[in-house]
Amino acid sequence: MILHRIWHRLFGSKQEETSFYILMSFLITFVVARLIVYLIVEDYLPDIFLTIKGVHIHHLSYGIFLLAWVGFYCLVYANTSQKLYKTAIVYGIGLGLTFDEFGMWLRLRDDYWIRQSYDAIIVISILLINFVYLRHFWARLIRFFARR
């Protein structure tokens, strides 16, 4: 709630604030997911992976379910501002879980440390940072070139 008030005093844009919540939850989820997997692989944490009948359920599955739920929720229910921010956080978590394993679903291989996952995280982070911090710059640039 305090972050919400500070943001509105500084920027005042609901779109920028929502994008900020998505960006932060996305980045935190990616870092935490990578850290947990690393700690499990290096035997610092016990194996907490979900396995059903010998099939390992990767966390991209949880991300896909979260993204599907957020899409359904946003399409069916009207959001108040407070619910919108909570939904943005859940969306960022789903995005982080899904794209953390982007290389796996791109290559259809069980290779967690594949390069494309890092590339996807970097591209999505750059896009979200542009939405949060450079939206007005890009709008002015487009208007400038549209006049010419």
Side-chain angles (χ1 to χ4, degrees), residues 11 13 15-16 126-147:
F11 302 103
S13 169
Q15 289 176 325
E16 290 172 347
I126 290 170
L127 288 172
L128 288 172
I129 287 169
N130 274 280
F131 284 130
V132 173
Y133 298 109
L134 300 172
R135 189 170 59 92
H136 297 295
F137 167 76
W138 291 114
R140 280 188 238 130
L141 190 65
I142 289 169
R143 281 194 302 267
F144 174 77
F145 284 112
R147 285 187 225 145

Side-chain angles (χ1 to χ4, degrees), residues 40 62 64 76 79 130 137:
I40 290 171
Y62 306 125
I64 291 169
V76 174
N79 286 325
N130 274 280
F137 167 76

Side-chain angles (χ1 to χ4, degrees), residues 35-54:
L35 181 64
I36 288 173
V37 169
Y38 175 78
L39 292 173
I40 290 171
V41 168
E42 295 297 322
D43 290 327
Y44 293 113
L45 285 178
D47 186 355
I48 57 170
F49 298 130
L50 177 62
T51 304
I52 299 174
K53 294 185 179 181

